[in-house]
Amino acid sequence: MGSTDSKLNFRKAVIQLTTKTQPVEATDDAFWDQFWADTTTTVQDVFALVPAAEIRAVREESPSNLATLCYKAVEKLVQGAESGCPTEREKQVILNCTRILTRILPYIFEDQDWRGFFWSTVPGAGRAGTDELDDDDGARPLAESLLLAVADLLFCPDFTVHSHKRGPDSVESMQSIDSCEYIWEAGVGFAQSPPLNYIHDLNRTELLRLLLTCFSEAMYLPPSPDNNVLNPWVTFFCSTENRHALPLFTSLLNVVCAYDPVGYGIPYNHLLFSDYREQLVEQAVQILIVTLEHDGGVSHRPVSPSSMEEQESTGPENLFVNYLSRIHREEDFDFVLKGLARLLTNPLTQTYLPNSTKKIQFHQELLVLFWKLCDFNKKFLFFVLKSSDVLDILVPILYYLNDARADQSRVGLMHIGVFILLLLSGERNFGVRLNKPYSVHVPMDIPVFTGTHADLLIVVFHKIITTGHQRLQPLFDCLLTIVVNVSPYLKSLSMVAANKLLHLLEAFSTSWFLFSAVQNHHLVFFLLEAFNNIIQYQFDGNCNLVYAIIRKRNVFHQLANLPSDPASIQKALQRKRKSPDVISRTSSQETVSMEGSHPAVPAEPGTLKTSLVAIPAIDKLTEKSQVSEDGTMVSVPKTDSPHTAHTDQSAVAGTSDTESNSGRDSEDVFYTEAEMERRRLSSASSTSFWVPTPDWVHSWKCKLPLQTIMRLLQVLVPQVEKICIDKGLTDESEILKFLQHGTLVGLLPVPHPILIRKYQANAGTAMWFRTYMWGVVYLRNVDPPIWYDTDVRLFEIQRM
């Protein structure tokens, strides 16, 4: 049958489904077979031939027909999984059923009354055809049958994996297959690399797409602070009920980490061969991040008879999380880290031939996967930080942060990048690794400098803060916390980086900025703390920073003498109205950018973006630890921190989809962007709800940690001035030489203990990750557009 004919027949069947007033019996195979028997349709065809309006019409007007269609399609998958699809025709039936279910499921999820349908055992209507299924399978909810069939089909010889058949007559029984022998790719825990077969890759991709659609029920539930709601589809699929859980987890991880988009290094080869592996890798990494969403808690579906016994009170164990947390061999860590670093670096690689290498688009998913690895597997985190390999992850993250800073549609990417750096910065080794000289020179529009990876980090952070869009303001706390965390270990900052840090201090310590929001003074505290750490622990190599501090000494004197009387406060705030910028944009000595770099640009009009919930304030995101003499960390009790003591007095004024909410009750963390905007407008129209007072200024001004720097200035400024007068010097290098050999031993206050703010998981960030991750999955699946125009509730979709 020609493809046009088969499309016509398929379309005819869809129309019949919507127009038949009588429910069609499940036993009417002649009718149901039209949907999958002869058609040679692609998934794109199915999306075109089954319009949204018609799916909704069947759902409302002939619900039993929709139920039977789902039931019959699942039944076909179950039969295929049992028979092993020996014929081409059976394989085609499986693919057609997979595409139809992928098309229909989002419309089941968007309707609350239908959401339980797949978790019920099929009512009488669909019973007639099930005699050949054994009884215990008959009692399974439809969702479980569907998920187990898909898992089986992902290891089906000659369909999704290479057959191990010995002779021409031997048959591989699907029931007795040990799928661990059929893992898709060499890597973690598996040594053989099966030959590439693009048909198998395509078939796996289709099945994974259906799996991702099953898991996407999460998109149709509004964000809630209650973190105990587990996704029933993920919970079942990652439980011991799925006998393929281990080989599938391993296959997905290995396929992602072994992928090399450059192929065999032949330029332009991606233009000659469509890369089927890339589609598979994209679906695989999306399945991984969605299944690894691990929250303790109990599933919100009724317990099915088949899983009644296993459910302990602790809630079901997610085997994917379990396997991820148990990887421990050095060579496995090395394989995973090298693979992720190679893929994250891919979009940055510049070659002399434009477009000659394929650029992957799934770096956001890779960052989430890297985050999950570090979060669930502490041994992996220590492995990453044990060598300078961590810099192969750091450099691409800084590249993405710098590149996305002007684009509001990529605010989620900015957050995940900063979260990862915050997590890494809680470990001493990260700070130590940053001292490695930076020589790769990725094309970025930042000032050219000679220095270390620490310099790169500071220069990029400065660029984000001074030239990023307004919505990034809530991240300033995080960015400066990272700088403070690594500061005790930085052996020698370049002049460029030192000047950038002082420029930030200058901008953040203007009186109008300090008085214009309740939490702005924290930024000054963070910078002073970083300077103190460097002076007290790394004075010897840091003459550039000391020189920069001496040159900008008036900034410190002004801070120490900050006026706090009502008249001065008023005057400062009036100055603000004239210059509404968040930070003085005059950037000290901006120089030539890297060759080949492009400036960061805002999103094109019409770009879709998904909203995010707010991130918690920095004191909720982190936990203070003190580094003791022997280098071990001791937790610090929450109460006595100088500059967070006053954050909880009142609400925080900010305009962002990720406002800091240290003062409001915790539920506020879950406002979406649109709600934030509404609140901002209403608070702007009424009188502002927070006013700086002399008492408030005094409450934190007296805690400014200025002693060390004031002592340094007191000792060194007269000496530097004397040199200049004696030698008639105007030459920086002579002064730097003097500072290099200078010493302040015994002249500075006793070094304070090093305080590290370590990232700590909490309900707010868990919810943030859920909305971010599903938002990425939604926007990246456009061909076919699985969820487009369905009633998604987890986030809002906006056009820029």
Side-chain angles (χ1 to χ4, degrees):
M1 176 185 286
S3 128
T4 333
D5 287 356
S6 72
K7 279 185 201 171
L8 277 171
N9 287 351
F10 180 76
R11 181 74 194 119
K12 207 164 65 195
V14 173
I15 292 167
Q16 286 176 318
L17 192 65
T18 53
T19 50
K20 278 196 192 283
T21 45
Q22 289 302 307
V24 185
E25 285 298 322
T27 47
D28 184 352
D29 283 335
F31 175 78
W32 296 111
D33 281 352
Q34 302 176 91
F35 287 98
W36 36 74
D38 304 309
T39 47
T40 47
T41 49
T42 62
V43 68
Q44 286 79 6
D45 291 337
V46 170
F47 272 69
L49 297 168
V50 189
E54 292 181 24
I55 304 174
R56 289 189 176 116
V58 177
R59 188 183 70 195
E60 307 311 324
E61 282 137 47
S62 353
S64 73
N65 285 351
L66 181 60
T68 310
L69 178 65
C70 292
Y71 161 69
K72 295 295 281 185
V74 172
E75 184 185 53
K76 287 288 174 202
L77 293 181
V78 171
Q79 287 166 0
E82 287 180 347
S83 70
C85 314
T87 67
E88 281 310 308
R89 195 190 147 172
E90 284 171 272
K91 292 180 176 127
Q92 195 55 53
V93 167
I94 292 298
L95 290 173
N96 290 334
C97 291
T98 300
R99 291 160 189 166
I100 285 171
L101 286 166
T102 302
R103 180 60 174 143
I104 290 173
L105 271 165
Y107 297 91
I108 301 261
F109 294 151
E110 72 174 7
D111 184 326
Q112 208 173 344
D113 299 334
W114 272 86
R115 231 170 270 149
F117 167 70
F118 269 84
W119 293 102
S120 54
T121 45
V122 175
R127 278 296 177 258
T130 61
D131 305 340
E132 71 275 14
L133 296 177
D134 29 322
D135 289 339
D136 92 19
D137 257 359
R140 272 200 186 283
L142 205 51
E144 295 187 3
S145 305
L146 168 57
L147 291 169
L148 293 176
V150 170
D152 278 340
L153 289 164
L154 285 166
F155 293 99
C156 180
D158 280 331
F159 180 51
T160 49
V161 291
H162 272 270
S163 172
H164 294 179
K165 274 202 302 235
R166 292 289 169 264
D169 302 327
S170 65
V171 173
E172 291 170 288
S173 142
M174 283 298 287
Q175 276 40 64
S176 59
I177 266 183
D178 174 6
S179 44
C180 286
E181 292 171 12
Y182 290 87
I183 287 170
W184 300 349
E185 185 57 78
V188 174
F190 192 69
Q192 300 92 285
S193 196
L196 274 181
N197 178 321
Y198 82 94
I199 302 286
H200 294 172
D201 275 1
L202 283 173
N203 294 343
R204 292 164 178 173
T205 302
E206 300 244 18
L207 288 162
L208 290 181
R209 188 187 291 126
L210 170 57
L211 206 49
L212 192 63
T213 309
C214 291
F215 297 158
S216 71
E217 185 183 275
M219 284 191 200
Y220 297 89
L221 304 171
S224 87
D226 170 23
N227 234 33
N228 294 337
V229 183
L230 285 184
N231 182 329
W233 297 83
V234 171
T235 302
F236 179 79
F237 191 77
C238 298
S239 74
T240 48
E241 297 252 357
N242 177 0
R243 70 189 178 102
H244 304 293
L246 178 59
L248 187 62
F249 170 79
T250 312
S251 295
L252 295 169
L253 186 63
N254 291 354
V255 153
V256 172
C257 296
Y259 178 56
D260 184 0
V262 182
Y264 298 102
I266 314 160
Y268 298 102
N269 108 1
H270 67 286
L271 302 175
L272 306 176
F273 316 102
S274 178
D275 184 352
Y276 298 105
R277 189 41 64 116
E278 184 182 22
Q279 296 171 25
L280 175 64
V281 170
E282 288 199 9
Q283 295 290 319
V285 72
Q286 289 176 6
I287 293 281
L288 276 173
I289 63 175
V290 164
T291 46
L292 290 169
E293 205 212 346
H294 165 63
D295 300 332
V298 273
S299 164
H300 64 259
R301 70 180 164 86
V303 176
S304 66
S306 58
S307 60
M308 193 80 93
E309 307 81 64
E310 292 89 46
Q311 292 229 331
E312 266 102 63
S313 54
T314 53
E317 167 150 61
N318 178 324
L319 291 178
F320 278 29
V321 171
N322 185 352
Y323 299 143
L324 186 78
S325 66
R326 294 206 331 240
I327 299 171
H328 61 276
R329 294 185 341 184
E330 294 261 317
E331 57 267 42
D332 289 343
F333 286 157
D334 190 57
F335 164 74
V336 170
L337 181 59
K338 292 257 189 319
L340 293 178
R342 177 178 60 247
L343 291 170
L344 285 170
T345 310
N346 160 273
L348 292 50
T349 40
Q350 292 283 321
T351 51
Y352 291 105
L353 310 167
N355 307 323
S356 64
T357 51
K358 186 179 186 64
K359 287 201 173 178
I360 59 153
Q361 303 293 324
F362 51 94
H363 47 273
Q364 300 198 76
E365 293 95 317
L366 291 166
L367 290 173
V368 176
L369 180 59
F370 179 77
W371 169 269
K372 303 269 182 202
L373 276 154
C374 292
D375 202 23
F376 293 148
N377 191 322
K378 287 299 167 237
K379 287 199 180 93
F380 176 75
L381 177 61
F382 297 137
F383 176 85
V384 168
L385 293 169
K386 196 172 79 174
S387 74
S388 54
D389 287 352
V390 64
L391 304 175
D392 298 336
I393 300 283
L394 170 74
V395 171
I397 288 178
L398 291 174
Y399 172 86
Y400 295 127
L401 289 177
N402 185 57
D403 186 55
R405 69 180 190 271
D407 177 353
Q408 299 209 9
S409 72
R410 289 192 284 169
V411 70
L413 167 63
M414 300 292 296
H415 280 73
I416 177 80
V418 172
F419 280 156
I420 289 172
L421 299 184
L422 182 63
L423 181 73
L424 295 174
S425 75
E427 308 297 331
R428 171 183 180 276
N429 264 355
F430 181 64
V432 173
R433 298 286 159 247
L434 290 178
N435 290 306
K436 187 178 175 182
Y438 172 64
S439 52
V440 259
H441 294 312
V442 170
M444 287 157 86
D445 61 326
I446 52 171
V448 176
F449 66 91
T450 306
T452 65
H453 284 76
D455 295 310
L456 176 68
L457 178 129
I458 288 168
V459 168
V460 169
F461 282 11
H462 174 270
K463 193 93 180 178
I464 293 167
I465 291 171
T466 54
T467 66
H469 58 78
Q470 294 283 314
R471 289 231 149 95
L472 298 179
Q473 273 193 53
L475 280 178
F476 292 1
D477 275 348
C478 286
L479 292 167
L480 294 187
T481 298
I482 294 162
V483 173
V484 176
N485 280 349
V486 301
S487 60
Y489 312 108
L490 304 184
K491 294 198 184 316
S492 71
L493 287 186
S494 69
M495 190 58 94
V496 172
N499 284 332
K500 295 296 177 207
L501 285 177
L502 278 140
H503 176 237
L504 289 179
L505 182 72
E506 205 173 352
F508 290 147
S509 60
T510 60
S511 53
W512 70 253
F513 183 75
L514 286 171
F515 298 159
S516 59
V518 70
Q519 80 287 23
N520 282 355
H521 62 277
H522 295 179
L523 301 172
V524 169
F525 275 86
F526 286 133
L527 285 164
L528 291 175
E529 200 177 323
F531 294 153
N532 288 340
N533 283 339
I534 294 174
I535 293 166
Q536 295 196 317
Y537 292 97
Q538 301 290 347
F539 180 80
D540 287 351
N542 272 297
C543 58
N544 287 328
L545 181 69
V546 174
Y547 179 60
I549 288 173
I550 291 173
R551 276 187 51 219
K552 292 281 183 187
R553 56 190 177 275
N554 64 322
V555 177
F556 300 95
H557 290 300
Q558 280 165 6
L559 257 179
N561 302 313
L562 184 75
S564 57
D565 56 289
S568 304
I569 293 177
Q570 273 322 103
K571 204 164 123 196
L573 291 175
Q574 267 148 7
R575 215 171 326 157
K576 177 188 182 186
R577 284 189 199 105
K578 294 192 201 92
S579 53
D581 255 351
V582 56
I583 182 162
S584 56
R585 304 270 181 202
T586 54
S587 193
S588 36
Q589 59 337 47
E590 275 300 286
T591 43
V592 200
S593 285
M594 178 64 57
E595 193 183 339
S597 71
H598 302 287
V601 288
E604 297 279 313
T607 304
L608 287 184
K609 67 168 189 156
T610 53
S611 64
L612 288 162
V613 295
I615 55 165
I618 192 74
D619 48 332
K620 303 257 191 328
L621 265 182
T622 54
E623 196 170 44
K624 292 191 174 168
S625 300
Q626 208 165 302
V627 182
S628 53
E629 299 283 310
D630 59 357
T632 54
M633 300 243 184
V634 192
S635 246
V636 179
K638 275 251 188 265
T639 48
D640 54 32
S641 59
H643 59 289
T644 48
H646 297 276
T647 54
D648 295 332
Q649 291 179 349
S650 59
V652 173
T655 59
S656 149
D657 44 355
T658 47
E659 257 178 86
S660 300
N661 282 315
S662 38
R664 304 204 193 122
D665 24 323
S666 58
E667 282 82 277
D668 286 26
V669 174
F670 301 96
Y671 285 131
T672 60
E673 198 163 328
E675 173 63 9
M676 287 290 183
E677 194 60 20
R678 282 194 289 277
R679 304 188 131 240
R680 187 176 73 80
L681 293 170
S682 65
S683 73
S685 57
S686 61
T687 54
S688 185
F689 46 76
W690 173 79
V691 181
T693 63
D695 282 352
W696 171 78
V697 176
H698 181 72
S699 70
W700 53 262
K701 183 184 149 184
C702 65
K703 298 192 180 83
L704 283 167
L706 286 165
Q707 304 82 326
T708 302
I709 291 171
M710 289 311 194
R711 185 84 187 105
L712 173 145
L713 292 173
Q714 198 186 351
V715 174
L716 292 179
V717 169
Q719 298 181 356
V720 169
E721 284 175 342
K722 184 171 185 317
I723 295 177
C724 293
I725 293 164
D726 289 357
K727 301 200 174 166
L729 274 188
T730 47
D731 182 19
E732 276 188 10
S733 59
E734 287 287 329
I735 300 171
L736 287 170
K737 209 175 293 172
F738 163 72
L739 290 173
Q740 224 167 345
H741 302 301
T743 172
L744 292 175
V745 176
L747 296 172
L748 291 181
V750 179
H752 54 286
I754 296 174
L755 261 193
I756 301 292
R757 292 170 183 79
K758 286 172 91 81
Y759 169 83
Q760 58 165 359
N762 58 61
T765 46
M767 192 63 237
W768 184 89
F769 270 98
R770 182 180 305 159
T771 54
Y772 169 60
M773 174 180 77
W774 279 112
V776 169
V777 170
Y778 176 97
L779 292 173
R780 296 259 302 110
N781 284 275
V782 288
D783 182 26
I786 304 179
W787 301 283
Y788 188 70
D789 273 349
T790 60
D791 186 17
V792 168
R793 308 280 305 286
L794 183 62
F795 42 77
E796 295 171 22
I797 296 106
Q798 294 140 336
R799 246 177 220 293
M800 300 204 51

